Coordinates of all heavy atoms in Angstrom, one line a residue:
M1384 N -110.0 -161.1 -70.8 CA -109.2 -160.0 -71.3 C -109.9 -159.3 -72.4 O -110.3 -160.0 -73.4 CB -107.8 -160.5 -71.7 CG -107.0 -159.4 -72.4 SD -105.4 -160.0 -73.0 CE -104.4 -159.6 -71.6
N1385 N -110.1 -158.0 -72.4 CA -110.7 -157.2 -73.4 C -109.6 -157.0 -74.5 O -108.6 -156.4 -74.3 CB -111.2 -155.9 -72.8 CG -111.9 -155.1 -73.8 OD1 -112.0 -155.5 -75.0 ND2 -112.5 -154.1 -73.4
K1386 N -109.9 -157.4 -75.7 CA -109.0 -157.2 -76.8 C -109.4 -156.1 -77.7 O -108.9 -156.0 -78.9 CB -108.8 -158.5 -77.6 CG -108.2 -159.6 -76.8 CD -107.9 -160.9 -77.6 CE -107.3 -161.9 -76.7 NZ -106.9 -163.1 -77.5
A1387 N -110.2 -155.2 -77.3 CA -110.7 -154.1 -78.1 C -109.7 -152.9 -77.9 O -109.1 -152.7 -76.9 CB -112.1 -153.6 -77.7
W1388 N -109.5 -152.1 -79.0 CA -108.8 -150.9 -78.9 C -109.6 -149.8 -78.4 O -110.8 -149.7 -78.6 CB -108.3 -150.5 -80.3 CG -107.2 -151.3 -80.9 CD1 -107.3 -152.4 -81.6 CD2 -105.8 -151.0 -80.8 NE1 -106.1 -152.9 -81.9 CE2 -105.1 -152.1 -81.4 CE3 -105.1 -150.0 -80.1 CZ2 -103.7 -152.1 -81.5 CZ3 -103.7 -150.1 -80.2 CH2 -103.0 -151.1 -80.9
K1389 N -109.0 -148.9 -77.6 CA -109.6 -147.7 -77.1 C -108.7 -146.5 -77.3 O -107.5 -146.6 -77.3 CB -109.9 -147.9 -75.6 CG -110.9 -146.9 -75.0 CD -111.4 -147.3 -73.7 CE -112.4 -146.3 -73.2 NZ -112.9 -146.6 -71.9
V1390 N -109.3 -145.4 -77.6 CA -108.6 -144.2 -78.0 C -108.9 -143.1 -77.0 O -110.0 -142.8 -76.6 CB -108.9 -143.7 -79.4 CG1 -108.2 -142.5 -79.8 CG2 -108.6 -144.8 -80.4
W1391 N -107.8 -142.3 -76.6 CA -108.0 -141.2 -75.7 C -107.3 -140.0 -76.4 O -106.2 -140.1 -76.9 CB -107.3 -141.4 -74.3 CG -108.0 -142.4 -73.5 CD1 -109.0 -142.2 -72.7 CD2 -107.6 -143.8 -73.4 NE1 -109.3 -143.5 -72.1 CE2 -108.5 -144.4 -72.5 CE3 -106.7 -144.6 -74.1 CZ2 -108.4 -145.8 -72.2 CZ3 -106.6 -145.9 -73.8 CH2 -107.5 -146.5 -72.9
S1392 N -108.0 -138.9 -76.4 CA -107.4 -137.7 -77.0 C -106.4 -137.0 -76.0 O -106.7 -137.1 -74.8 CB -108.5 -136.7 -77.4 OG -109.3 -137.2 -78.4
L1393 N -105.4 -136.4 -76.5 CA -104.5 -135.7 -75.6 C -105.2 -134.5 -75.1 O -106.1 -133.9 -75.7 CB -103.2 -135.3 -76.4 CG -102.3 -136.5 -76.9 CD1 -101.1 -135.9 -77.7 CD2 -101.9 -137.3 -75.7
P1394 N -104.8 -134.0 -73.9 CA -105.5 -132.9 -73.2 C -105.6 -131.6 -74.0 O -106.5 -130.9 -73.8 CB -104.7 -132.7 -71.9 CG -103.9 -133.9 -71.7 CD -103.7 -134.5 -73.0
K1395 N -104.6 -131.3 -74.9 CA -104.7 -130.1 -75.7 C -105.0 -130.4 -77.1 O -104.5 -131.3 -77.7 CB -103.3 -129.3 -75.6 CG -103.0 -128.9 -74.2 CD -101.8 -128.0 -74.1 CE -101.6 -127.6 -72.7 NZ -101.3 -126.3 -72.5
A1396 N -105.9 -129.6 -77.7 CA -106.4 -129.8 -79.0 C -105.3 -129.8 -80.1 O -105.4 -130.5 -81.1 CB -107.5 -128.8 -79.4
K1397 N -104.3 -129.0 -79.9 CA -103.2 -129.0 -80.9 C -102.0 -129.9 -80.5 O -100.9 -129.6 -81.0 CB -102.7 -127.5 -81.1 CG -103.7 -126.6 -81.6 CD -103.2 -125.2 -81.8 CE -104.2 -124.3 -82.3 NZ -103.7 -122.9 -82.4
S1398 N -102.2 -130.9 -79.7 CA -101.2 -131.7 -79.2 C -100.5 -132.5 -80.4 O -101.1 -132.8 -81.3 CB -101.7 -132.6 -78.2 OG -102.1 -131.9 -77.1
G1399 N -99.2 -132.8 -80.1 CA -98.5 -133.5 -81.1 C -97.6 -134.6 -80.4 O -96.5 -134.3 -80.0
C1400 N -98.2 -135.8 -80.3 CA -97.5 -136.9 -79.6 C -96.3 -137.3 -80.5 O -96.4 -137.5 -81.7 CB -98.4 -138.0 -79.4 SG -97.6 -139.5 -78.7
Y1401 N -95.2 -137.6 -79.9 CA -94.0 -138.0 -80.6 C -93.4 -139.3 -80.2 O -93.2 -140.2 -81.0 CB -92.9 -136.9 -80.5 CG -91.7 -137.1 -81.4 CD1 -91.8 -136.6 -82.7 CD2 -90.6 -137.7 -81.0 CE1 -90.7 -136.8 -83.6 CE2 -89.5 -137.9 -81.9 CZ -89.6 -137.4 -83.2 OH -88.5 -137.6 -84.0
A1402 N -93.2 -139.5 -78.9 CA -92.7 -140.7 -78.4 C -93.6 -141.3 -77.3 O -94.2 -140.6 -76.6 CB -91.3 -140.5 -77.8
V1403 N -93.6 -142.6 -77.2 CA -94.5 -143.3 -76.2 C -93.7 -144.4 -75.5 O -92.9 -145.1 -76.1 CB -95.7 -144.0 -76.9 CG1 -96.6 -144.7 -75.9 CG2 -96.5 -142.9 -77.7
Y1404 N -94.0 -144.6 -74.2 CA -93.3 -145.6 -73.4 C -94.3 -146.1 -72.4 O -95.0 -145.3 -71.7 CB -92.1 -145.1 -72.7 CG -91.4 -146.0 -71.7 CD1 -90.7 -147.1 -72.1 CD2 -91.6 -145.8 -70.4 CE1 -90.1 -148.0 -71.2 CE2 -91.0 -146.6 -69.4 CZ -90.3 -147.7 -69.9 OH -89.7 -148.6 -69.0
V1405 N -94.4 -147.4 -72.2 CA -95.2 -148.0 -71.1 C -94.3 -148.5 -70.0 O -93.5 -149.4 -70.3 CB -96.2 -149.1 -71.7 CG1 -97.0 -149.7 -70.5 CG2 -97.0 -148.5 -72.8
D1406 N -94.5 -148.1 -68.8 CA -93.6 -148.5 -67.7 C -94.1 -149.8 -67.1 O -95.1 -150.4 -67.5 CB -93.4 -147.4 -66.7 CG -94.6 -147.1 -65.9 OD1 -95.6 -147.9 -65.8 OD2 -94.6 -146.0 -65.2
D1407 N -93.3 -150.3 -66.1 CA -93.6 -151.6 -65.5 C -94.9 -151.5 -64.6 O -95.3 -152.6 -64.1 CB -92.4 -152.0 -64.7 CG -92.0 -151.1 -63.5 OD1 -92.5 -149.9 -63.5 OD2 -91.2 -151.5 -62.7
K1408 N -95.5 -150.4 -64.4 CA -96.8 -150.3 -63.7 C -97.9 -150.0 -64.7 O -99.0 -149.6 -64.3 CB -96.7 -149.2 -62.6 CG -95.7 -149.6 -61.6 CD -95.6 -148.5 -60.5 CE -94.5 -149.0 -59.5 NZ -94.1 -148.0 -58.6
D1409 N -97.7 -150.2 -66.0 CA -98.7 -150.0 -67.0 C -99.1 -148.5 -67.2 O -100.2 -148.3 -67.7 CB -99.9 -150.9 -66.9 CG -99.5 -152.4 -67.1 OD1 -98.6 -152.6 -67.9 OD2 -100.2 -153.2 -66.6
K1410 N -98.3 -147.6 -66.7 CA -98.6 -146.2 -67.0 C -98.0 -145.8 -68.3 O -96.9 -146.3 -68.7 CB -97.9 -145.3 -65.9 CG -98.4 -145.6 -64.5 CD -99.9 -145.3 -64.3 CE -100.3 -145.5 -62.9 NZ -100.9 -146.7 -62.5
V1411 N -98.7 -145.1 -69.1 CA -98.2 -144.7 -70.4 C -97.6 -143.3 -70.4 O -98.3 -142.4 -70.0 CB -99.4 -144.7 -71.5 CG1 -98.9 -144.4 -72.9 CG2 -100.1 -146.1 -71.4
W1412 N -96.4 -143.2 -70.8 CA -95.6 -141.9 -70.9 C -95.5 -141.5 -72.3 O -95.3 -142.3 -73.2 CB -94.3 -142.1 -70.2 CG -94.3 -142.4 -68.8 CD1 -94.5 -143.6 -68.2 CD2 -94.2 -141.4 -67.7 NE1 -94.5 -143.5 -66.8 CE2 -94.3 -142.2 -66.5 CE3 -94.0 -140.0 -67.7 CZ2 -94.2 -141.5 -65.3 CZ3 -93.9 -139.4 -66.4 CH2 -94.0 -140.2 -65.3
L1413 N -95.7 -140.2 -72.6 CA -95.5 -139.7 -74.0 C -95.0 -138.3 -74.0 O -95.1 -137.6 -73.0 CB -96.8 -139.8 -74.7 CG -98.0 -139.2 -74.1 CD1 -98.4 -137.9 -74.9 CD2 -99.2 -140.1 -74.1
T1414 N -94.4 -137.9 -75.1 CA -94.0 -136.6 -75.2 C -95.0 -135.8 -76.1 O -95.5 -136.4 -77.1 CB -92.6 -136.4 -75.8 OG1 -92.5 -137.1 -77.1 CG2 -91.5 -137.1 -74.9
D1415 N -95.2 -134.6 -75.8 CA -96.1 -133.8 -76.6 C -95.3 -132.5 -77.0 O -95.1 -131.6 -76.2 CB -97.3 -133.4 -75.8 CG -98.4 -132.5 -76.5 OD1 -98.0 -131.9 -77.6 OD2 -99.5 -132.5 -76.1
F1416 N -94.8 -132.5 -78.2 CA -93.8 -131.5 -78.6 C -94.5 -130.1 -78.8 O -93.9 -129.1 -78.6 CB -93.0 -131.9 -79.8 CG -93.8 -132.1 -81.1 CD1 -94.0 -131.1 -82.0 CD2 -94.2 -133.4 -81.4 CE1 -94.7 -131.4 -83.2 CE2 -94.9 -133.7 -82.5 CZ -95.1 -132.7 -83.4
I1417 N -95.8 -130.1 -79.1 CA -96.5 -128.8 -79.3 C -96.7 -128.2 -77.9 O -96.6 -127.0 -77.7 CB -97.7 -129.0 -80.1 CG1 -97.3 -129.4 -81.6 CG2 -98.6 -127.7 -80.2 CD1 -98.5 -129.7 -82.5
A1418 N -97.1 -129.0 -77.0 CA -97.4 -128.5 -75.6 C -96.1 -128.4 -74.8 O -96.1 -127.9 -73.7 CB -98.3 -129.5 -74.9
N1419 N -95.0 -128.9 -75.4 CA -93.7 -128.8 -74.8 C -93.7 -129.5 -73.4 O -93.3 -128.9 -72.4 CB -93.2 -127.3 -74.6 CG -91.8 -127.1 -74.5 OD1 -91.0 -128.0 -74.9 ND2 -91.4 -126.1 -73.8
A1420 N -94.2 -130.7 -73.4 CA -94.4 -131.4 -72.1 C -94.2 -132.9 -72.2 O -94.3 -133.5 -73.3 CB -95.7 -131.1 -71.6
I1421 N -94.0 -133.6 -71.1 CA -94.1 -135.0 -71.0 C -95.4 -135.3 -70.3 O -95.7 -134.6 -69.3 CB -92.9 -135.6 -70.2 CG1 -91.6 -135.4 -71.0 CG2 -93.1 -137.1 -69.9 CD1 -90.3 -135.8 -70.2
L1422 N -96.1 -136.2 -70.8 CA -97.4 -136.6 -70.2 C -97.4 -138.0 -69.6 O -96.7 -138.9 -70.2 CB -98.5 -136.5 -71.2 CG -98.8 -135.1 -71.9 CD1 -99.7 -135.3 -73.0 CD2 -99.2 -134.1 -70.9
R1423 N -98.1 -138.3 -68.6 CA -98.3 -139.6 -68.1 C -99.8 -139.9 -68.1 O -100.6 -139.1 -67.6 CB -97.8 -139.7 -66.6 CG -98.0 -141.1 -66.0 CD -97.4 -141.3 -64.7 NE -97.9 -140.3 -63.8 CZ -97.3 -139.9 -62.7 NH1 -96.2 -140.3 -62.3 NH2 -97.9 -138.9 -61.9
F1424 N -100.1 -141.1 -68.7 CA -101.5 -141.5 -68.8 C -101.7 -142.7 -67.9 O -101.0 -143.7 -68.0 CB -101.9 -141.7 -70.2 CG -103.3 -142.2 -70.4 CD1 -104.4 -141.3 -70.2 CD2 -103.6 -143.5 -70.6 CE1 -105.7 -141.8 -70.3 CE2 -104.9 -144.0 -70.8 CZ -106.0 -143.1 -70.6
D1425 N -102.8 -142.7 -67.1 CA -103.1 -143.9 -66.3 C -104.3 -144.5 -66.9 O -105.4 -143.9 -66.9 CB -103.4 -143.4 -64.9 CG -103.7 -144.6 -63.9 OD1 -104.1 -145.7 -64.4 OD2 -103.6 -144.4 -62.7
P1426 N -104.2 -145.7 -67.5 CA -105.3 -146.3 -68.2 C -106.4 -146.8 -67.2 O -107.6 -147.0 -67.6 CB -104.7 -147.5 -68.9 CG -103.4 -147.8 -68.3 CD -103.0 -146.5 -67.7
V1427 N -106.1 -146.9 -65.9 CA -107.2 -147.3 -64.9 C -108.1 -146.1 -64.7 O -109.3 -146.2 -64.7 CB -106.5 -147.8 -63.6 CG1 -107.6 -148.1 -62.6 CG2 -105.7 -149.1 -63.9
T1428 N -107.5 -144.9 -64.4 CA -108.3 -143.7 -64.2 C -108.7 -143.0 -65.4 O -109.6 -142.1 -65.4 CB -107.6 -142.8 -63.2 OG1 -106.4 -142.3 -63.9 CG2 -107.2 -143.4 -61.9
E1429 N -108.0 -143.3 -66.5 CA -108.2 -142.7 -67.8 C -107.9 -141.2 -67.7 O -108.6 -140.4 -68.4 CB -109.6 -143.0 -68.4 CG -109.8 -144.4 -68.6 CD -111.2 -144.7 -69.3 OE1 -111.9 -143.8 -69.6 OE2 -111.4 -145.9 -69.6
K1430 N -106.9 -140.8 -67.0 CA -106.5 -139.4 -66.8 C -105.1 -139.2 -67.2 O -104.2 -140.0 -67.0 CB -106.8 -139.0 -65.4 CG -108.2 -139.0 -65.0 CD -108.5 -138.3 -63.7 CE -109.9 -138.5 -63.3 NZ -110.8 -137.5 -63.7
F1431 N -104.8 -138.0 -67.7 CA -103.5 -137.5 -68.1 C -102.9 -136.6 -67.0 O -103.7 -135.9 -66.3 CB -103.5 -136.7 -69.4 CG -103.7 -137.5 -70.6 CD1 -104.9 -137.7 -71.1 CD2 -102.6 -138.1 -71.3 CE1 -105.1 -138.5 -72.3 CE2 -102.7 -138.8 -72.4 CZ -104.0 -139.0 -72.9
E1432 N -101.6 -136.7 -66.7 CA -100.9 -135.7 -65.9 C -99.8 -135.2 -66.7 O -99.1 -135.9 -67.4 CB -100.4 -136.5 -64.7 CG -99.7 -135.5 -63.7 CD -99.3 -136.2 -62.4 OE1 -99.4 -137.4 -62.3 OE2 -98.8 -135.5 -61.5
S1433 N -99.7 -133.9 -66.7 CA -98.7 -133.2 -67.5 C -97.5 -132.6 -66.7 O -97.7 -132.1 -65.6 CB -99.4 -132.0 -68.3 OG -98.5 -131.3 -69.1
F1434 N -96.3 -132.8 -67.3 CA -95.1 -132.3 -66.7 C -94.4 -131.4 -67.8 O -93.6 -131.8 -68.6 CB -94.1 -133.4 -66.4 CG -94.8 -134.4 -65.4 CD1 -95.4 -135.6 -65.9 CD2 -94.7 -134.2 -64.1 CE1 -96.0 -136.5 -65.0 CE2 -95.3 -135.1 -63.2 CZ -95.9 -136.2 -63.7
P1435 N -94.9 -130.1 -67.9 CA -94.3 -129.2 -68.9 C -92.9 -128.8 -68.7 O -92.4 -128.8 -67.5 CB -95.2 -128.0 -68.8 CG -95.8 -128.0 -67.4 CD -95.9 -129.5 -67.0
S1436 N -92.2 -128.6 -69.7 CA -90.8 -128.2 -69.7 C -90.7 -126.7 -69.2 O -91.6 -125.9 -69.4 CB -90.2 -128.2 -71.1 OG -88.9 -127.7 -71.0
D1437 N -89.7 -126.4 -68.4 CA -89.5 -125.1 -68.0 C -88.7 -124.2 -69.0 O -88.3 -123.1 -68.8 CB -88.8 -125.0 -66.6 CG -87.4 -125.7 -66.6 OD1 -87.0 -126.3 -67.7 OD2 -86.7 -125.6 -65.6
R1438 N -88.4 -124.9 -70.1 CA -87.6 -124.2 -71.2 C -88.5 -123.9 -72.4 O -89.0 -124.8 -73.1 CB -86.5 -125.1 -71.7 CG -85.5 -125.2 -70.5 CD -84.1 -125.7 -71.0 NE -83.1 -125.6 -70.0 CZ -83.0 -126.4 -69.0 NH1 -83.8 -127.4 -68.9 NH2 -82.0 -126.3 -68.1
R1439 N -88.8 -122.6 -72.5 CA -89.8 -122.2 -73.6 C -89.3 -122.6 -74.9 O -88.1 -122.4 -75.3 CB -89.9 -120.6 -73.5 CG -91.0 -120.1 -74.4 CD -91.1 -118.6 -74.1 NE -92.2 -118.1 -74.9 CZ -92.5 -116.9 -75.0 NH1 -91.8 -116.0 -74.3 NH2 -93.5 -116.5 -75.7
G1440 N -90.2 -123.2 -75.7 CA -89.8 -123.5 -77.1 C -88.9 -124.8 -77.2 O -88.3 -125.0 -78.2
A1441 N -88.8 -125.6 -76.2 CA -87.9 -126.7 -76.2 C -88.5 -127.8 -77.1 O -87.7 -128.6 -77.6 CB -87.8 -127.3 -74.8
S1442 N -89.7 -127.8 -77.5 CA -90.4 -128.8 -78.3 C -89.9 -130.2 -77.9 O -89.3 -131.0 -78.6 CB -90.0 -128.6 -79.8 OG -90.5 -127.3 -80.2
V1443 N -90.3 -130.6 -76.7 CA -90.0 -131.9 -76.1 C -90.4 -133.0 -77.1 O -91.6 -133.1 -77.5 CB -90.7 -132.1 -74.7 CG1 -90.5 -133.5 -74.2 CG2 -90.3 -131.0 -73.8
R1444 N -89.5 -133.9 -77.4 CA -89.7 -135.0 -78.4 C -89.3 -136.3 -77.9 O -90.0 -137.2 -77.8 CB -89.0 -134.7 -79.7 CG -89.6 -133.5 -80.5 CD -88.9 -133.3 -81.8 NE -89.3 -132.1 -82.4 CZ -90.2 -132.0 -83.3 NH1 -90.9 -133.0 -83.7 NH2 -90.5 -130.8 -83.9
Q1445 N -88.0 -136.4 -77.6 CA -87.4 -137.7 -77.2 C -87.9 -138.2 -75.8 O -88.1 -137.3 -74.9 CB -85.9 -137.7 -77.3 CG -85.4 -137.4 -78.7 CD -85.9 -138.3 -79.8 OE1 -86.0 -139.5 -79.6 NE2 -86.2 -137.8 -80.9
L1446 N -87.9 -139.5 -75.6 CA -88.3 -140.0 -74.3 C -87.4 -141.2 -74.0 O -87.4 -142.1 -74.8 CB -89.8 -140.4 -74.3 CG -90.4 -140.9 -73.0 CD1 -90.4 -139.9 -71.9 CD2 -91.8 -141.4 -73.2
Q1447 N -86.7 -141.2 -72.9 CA -85.9 -142.4 -72.6 C -86.6 -143.2 -71.5 O -87.3 -142.6 -70.6 CB -84.6 -141.9 -72.0 CG -83.7 -141.2 -73.1 CD -82.4 -140.7 -72.5 OE1 -82.3 -140.5 -71.3 NE2 -81.5 -140.5 -73.4
A1448 N -86.5 -144.5 -71.4 CA -87.2 -145.3 -70.5 C -86.9 -144.9 -69.1 O -87.8 -144.9 -68.2 CB -86.8 -146.8 -70.7
G1449 N -85.7 -144.4 -68.8 CA -85.4 -144.0 -67.4 C -86.2 -142.8 -66.9 O -86.5 -142.7 -65.7
V1450 N -86.7 -142.0 -67.8 CA -87.6 -140.8 -67.5 C -88.9 -141.4 -66.9 O -89.4 -141.0 -65.9 CB -87.8 -139.9 -68.7 CG1 -88.9 -138.9 -68.3 CG2 -86.6 -139.3 -69.1
A1451 N -89.5 -142.3 -67.6 CA -90.8 -142.8 -67.2 C -90.7 -143.6 -65.9 O -91.7 -143.6 -65.1 CB -91.3 -143.7 -68.3
K1452 N -89.6 -144.3 -65.6 CA -89.5 -145.0 -64.4 C -89.5 -144.1 -63.2 O -89.9 -144.5 -62.1 CB -88.3 -146.0 -64.4 CG -88.5 -147.1 -65.4 CD -87.4 -148.1 -65.4 CE -87.7 -149.2 -66.4 NZ -86.6 -150.2 -66.4
C1453 N -89.0 -142.9 -63.3 CA -88.9 -142.0 -62.2 C -90.2 -141.3 -62.0 O -90.7 -141.2 -61.0 CB -87.7 -141.0 -62.4 SG -87.7 -139.8 -61.2
G1454 N -90.6 -140.6 -63.1 CA -91.9 -139.9 -63.1 C -91.9 -138.6 -62.3 O -92.9 -138.2 -61.9
A1455 N -90.7 -138.1 -62.1 CA -90.6 -136.8 -61.3 C -89.5 -135.9 -61.9 O -88.5 -136.4 -62.3 CB -90.4 -137.1 -59.8
P1456 N -89.7 -134.6 -61.8 CA -88.6 -133.7 -62.2 C -87.4 -133.8 -61.3 O -87.6 -134.0 -60.1 CB -89.2 -132.3 -62.2 CG -90.6 -132.5 -61.6 CD -90.9 -133.9 -61.4
N1457 N -86.3 -133.8 -61.9 CA -85.0 -133.8 -61.1 C -84.7 -132.4 -60.6 O -84.7 -131.5 -61.4 CB -83.9 -134.3 -62.0 CG -82.6 -134.4 -61.4 OD1 -82.4 -134.0 -60.3 ND2 -81.6 -135.0 -62.1
P1458 N -84.5 -132.3 -59.3 CA -84.2 -130.9 -58.8 C -82.9 -130.4 -59.3 O -82.6 -129.2 -59.2 CB -84.2 -131.1 -57.3 CG -84.0 -132.6 -57.1 CD -84.5 -133.3 -58.3
A1459 N -82.0 -131.2 -59.8 CA -80.7 -130.8 -60.4 C -81.0 -130.0 -61.6 O -82.0 -130.1 -62.3 CB -79.8 -132.0 -60.6
P1460 N -80.0 -129.1 -62.0 CA -80.2 -128.2 -63.2 C -80.3 -129.0 -64.5 O -80.6 -128.4 -65.5 CB -79.0 -127.3 -63.2 CG -78.1 -127.7 -62.1 CD -78.8 -128.8 -61.3
T1461 N -80.0 -130.3 -64.5 CA -80.1 -131.1 -65.8 C -81.4 -131.4 -66.2 O -81.6 -131.9 -67.3 CB -79.2 -132.4 -65.6 OG1 -79.7 -133.1 -64.5 CG2 -77.8 -132.0 -65.4
G1462 N -82.5 -131.3 -65.4 CA -83.8 -131.5 -65.8 C -84.4 -132.8 -65.3 O -84.5 -133.0 -64.1
W1463 N -84.8 -133.8 -66.2 CA -85.4 -135.0 -65.8 C -84.4 -136.1 -65.5 O -83.4 -136.1 -66.1 CB -86.3 -135.5 -66.9 CG -87.5 -134.6 -67.1 CD1 -87.6 -133.5 -67.8 CD2 -88.8 -134.7 -66.5 NE1 -88.8 -132.9 -67.7 CE2 -89.5 -133.7 -66.9 CE3 -89.3 -135.7 -65.6 CZ2 -90.9 -133.5 -66.5 CZ3 -90.7 -135.5 -65.3 CH2 -91.4 -134.4 -65.7
W1464 N -84.7 -137.0 -64.5 CA -83.9 -138.1 -64.2 C -84.2 -139.2 -65.2 O -85.4 -139.5 -65.5 CB -84.1 -138.8 -62.9 CG -84.1 -137.9 -61.7 CD1 -83.5 -136.6 -61.6 CD2 -84.6 -138.1 -60.4 NE1 -83.7 -136.2 -60.4 CE2 -84.3 -137.0 -59.6 CE3 -85.3 -139.2 -59.9 CZ2 -84.7 -137.0 -58.3 CZ3 -85.7 -139.1 -58.6 CH2 -85.4 -138.1 -57.8

């Protein structure tokens, strides 16, 4: 087991990470309030996937564990599952 720390920069230079959650598949979910998005990071591929909010200026901050387990936008008007 490698016990070294590794650092990845968020995809946008002005990003502002607020909340972090690691799901049961070791995917890292985080909120980026400046980009107004939820991001998923895969440590195996070392790539980010972005799920931007459809609400301008929402400043996405909070992250609940249920959001990360689903990983998909909810088609209902309430937003994320």
Side-chain angles (χ1 to χ4, degrees):
M1384 172 185 268
N1385 185 354
K1386 294 185 178 185
W1388 284 90
K1389 195 164 183 182
V1390 177
W1391 294 272
S1392 297
L1393 295 178
K1395 298 191 179 221
K1397 295 181 181 179
S1398 296
C1400 178
Y1401 190 84
V1403 178
Y1404 172 75
V1405 179
D1406 68 18
D1407 60 348
K1408 295 180 181 165
D1409 292 332
K1410 302 297 188 259
V1411 181
W1412 294 83
L1413 55 105
T1414 59
D1415 183 339
F1416 62 92
I1417 294 173
N1419 200 28
I1421 294 175
L1422 301 171
R1423 178 176 56 203
F1424 178 74
D1425 184 339
V1427 174
T1428 63
E1429 298 186 357
K1430 295 192 186 268
F1431 286 92
E1432 186 174 4
S1433 180
F1434 303 93
S1436 173
D1437 61 351
R1438 295 199 170 76
R1439 188 175 185 184
S1442 298
V1443 176
R1444 292 180 190 266
Q1445 301 302 322
L1446 182 65
Q1447 296 176 335
V1450 171
K1452 288 184 180 181
C1453 172
N1457 180 351
T1461 56
W1463 291 84
W1464 308 339

